[in-house]
Amino acid sequence: QRRTRESMSEAGVQSEVRLHTSQLGWRMWRNNVGVLKDERGVPVRYGLANDSSIINRHLKSGDLIGIRPVLITPDMVGTTIGQFVSIECKDRDWKPSLNDKRYLAQAAWVQLVRSLGGYAVIINNSDVLTWR
């Protein structure tokens, strides 16, 4: 498949990931994060891990949030649970940097989700995403 400028962008990677996860039976939703002022001028925060500017500085949730089915064994044989999923999409040329505060806050979110049994990744290519 030829890579176009669009497919190299974060939006292109995100579209590819959404298509792939849908084919796997996962359900993913866009997680917009930010703050806007209401009609009275009062800030209203939205998105996961964005309860305050302090929290948002240290934890940045993924672009896509969802659920994937996971078959549990052996004590709950045959039972399928929904596992929390967080996927942060980056453009194809992106590389992690310990000097990038945004990346460090995103990595902290990934660690938090994983520590509680969820599935979380930061990716720049759906081909490298670990699906299982």
Side-chain angles (χ1 to χ4, degrees):
Q1 174 184 357
R2 200 179 111 219
R3 300 288 183 201
T4 64
R5 181 179 210 147
E6 170 64 22
S7 72
M8 298 281 292
S9 70
E10 180 177 323
V13 170
Q14 190 176 121
S15 292
E16 185 179 287
V17 168
R18 291 184 83 166
L19 177 63
H20 196 154
T21 55
S22 178
Q23 292 168 342
L24 292 169
W26 300 17
R27 297 297 174 260
M28 303 300 297
W29 295 274
R30 179 79 176 101
N31 177 40
N32 293 307
V33 176
V35 62
L36 293 171
K37 291 186 178 176
D38 69 11
E39 65 278 353
R40 297 167 296 156
V42 177
V44 178
R45 305 187 77 79
Y46 56 90
L48 291 177
N50 192 27
D51 297 20
S52 70
S53 59
I54 294 170
I55 292 173
N56 185 261
R57 202 171 309 134
H58 299 286
L59 285 175
K60 294 198 179 293
S61 55
D63 295 319
L64 301 172
I65 300 297
I67 304 166
R68 72 177 186 166
V70 176
L71 181 63
I72 300 299
T73 61
D75 61 326
M76 295 172 63
V77 174
T79 301
T80 300
I81 63 148
Q83 183 183 34
F84 181 85
V85 175
S86 175
I87 301 174
E88 173 64 31
C89 299
K90 301 293 188 182
D91 68 57
R92 291 193 188 276
D93 294 331
W94 175 83
K95 303 251 186 305
S97 169
L98 295 178
N99 295 322
D100 181 350
K101 290 179 182 177
R102 181 173 206 74
Y103 164 70
L104 294 175
Q106 291 166 338
W109 171 259
V110 166
Q111 183 57 38
L112 173 65
V113 170
R114 288 179 179 178
S115 74
L116 295 170
Y119 179 88
V121 291
I122 301 172
I123 60 167
N124 66 349
N125 181 341
S126 75
D127 298 339
V128 300
L129 188 55
T130 303
W131 299 110
R132 301 208 190 292

